[in-house]
Amino acid sequence: MVVGPDFMTEVDEEHFDEVDALLKAAFPTEAEARLVKKLRADGDMLFEVRKPWEGRIGGYFALSRMQAPEGWACLAPMAVRPEWQGGRLAERNPNMEAAGLKDQMCRGPWRFGSRMLQQLQSYYEVFPAGLQERLPETIVVLGKPSFYGRYGFSLERAQKLISPYPLDCTLILRRGVDVPEAELIYPRAFHDGGC
């Protein structure tokens, strides 16, 4: 029995409309959908990932190339189908209750965003050096430290960065324990915003 969403896969051009629909449903405005289109058009998209479940996209995130520092990426946007956020997919899944897993229904395997971030974190922590060398040196995210901090992103390690966005919601994921000093220059598509 499969417990939880399917494995993450890359987004291909055939998935663009599905991603666009997810972004428009998951956010109050179409800003994130426009951001993704602009990142693609500008050639700043490193890669896009989707997490399907039963033939539908459930979760998505994009990594785009920072203008500076070289080799760094930005995680944005990240989205989960609204009706499946917060473990609600598990709450309505009769297979979980029938299998005697009712107490585990809202744990990690059914939380799309959490599961995607856990997999991203594992790439930096447990995968062989060959794969790690193909990853961006550092991934920057703007968001809630209480959420992203559970998945290897560090608020403390970002505090010596110079950013157009508030440092109280800027976190980084990278190997090691250093506190880098650098100026963050986001892709052109990020012309305004914050956390």
Side-chain angles (χ1 to χ4, degrees):
M1 174 179 68
V2 175
V3 177
D6 299 336
F7 291 104
M8 292 193 307
T9 61
E10 283 191 60
V11 170
D12 297 318
E13 190 171 344
E14 68 188 68
H15 305 120
F16 285 1
D17 290 341
E18 187 179 24
V19 167
D20 189 64
L22 170 66
L23 293 171
K24 289 176 180 175
F27 293 100
T29 70
E30 295 186 5
E32 285 77 9
R34 287 192 305 270
L35 173 65
V36 166
K37 287 179 182 176
K38 181 89 169 102
L39 287 167
R40 290 174 186 150
D42 291 347
D44 288 328
M45 191 68 79
L46 286 174
F47 60 89
E48 300 172 73
V49 176
R50 67 189 186 102
K51 182 173 271 300
W53 176 248
E54 296 185 342
R56 295 169 53 187
I57 186 172
Y60 165 88
F61 72 76
L63 286 178
S64 57
R65 186 178 298 104
M66 297 286 288
Q67 290 185 0
E70 186 176 339
W72 287 34
C74 176
L75 171 63
M78 182 171 180
V80 173
R81 184 177 292 281
E83 65 270 23
W84 293 350
Q85 291 175 3
R88 286 187 293 227
L89 175 62
E91 292 170 4
R92 294 191 304 266
N93 191 318
N95 294 332
M96 292 291 284
E97 194 165 342
L101 300 172
K102 188 174 182 177
D103 293 338
Q104 299 174 6
M105 289 200 306
C106 291
R107 295 197 182 146
W110 290 92
R111 293 181 180 268
F112 279 80
S114 296
R115 197 162 187 188
M116 293 177 82
L117 288 174
Q118 285 170 344
Q119 288 177 275
L120 184 60
Q121 179 185 13
S122 73
Y123 296 154
Y124 280 85
E125 294 179 354
V126 299
F127 278 79
L131 174 63
Q132 290 179 351
E133 290 168 7
R134 292 191 301 250
L135 294 169
E137 177 184 338
T138 303
I139 298 175
V140 179
V141 68
L142 295 173
K144 293 182 182 178
S146 61
F147 177 67
Y148 288 98
R150 292 182 289 195
Y151 307 104
F153 285 87
S154 173
L155 179 68
E156 293 76 22
R157 292 179 71 193
Q159 293 309 297
K160 290 188 179 179
L161 298 173
I162 298 168
S163 176
Y165 303 111
L167 289 180
D168 62 355
C169 62
T170 301
L171 297 91
I172 60 172
L173 174 65
R174 65 188 269 136
R175 291 180 289 281
V177 295
D178 63 320
V179 179
E181 296 182 40
E183 180 178 1
L184 299 179
I185 302 176
Y186 286 81
R188 290 183 302 271
F190 289 83
H191 53 83
D192 61 359
C195 25

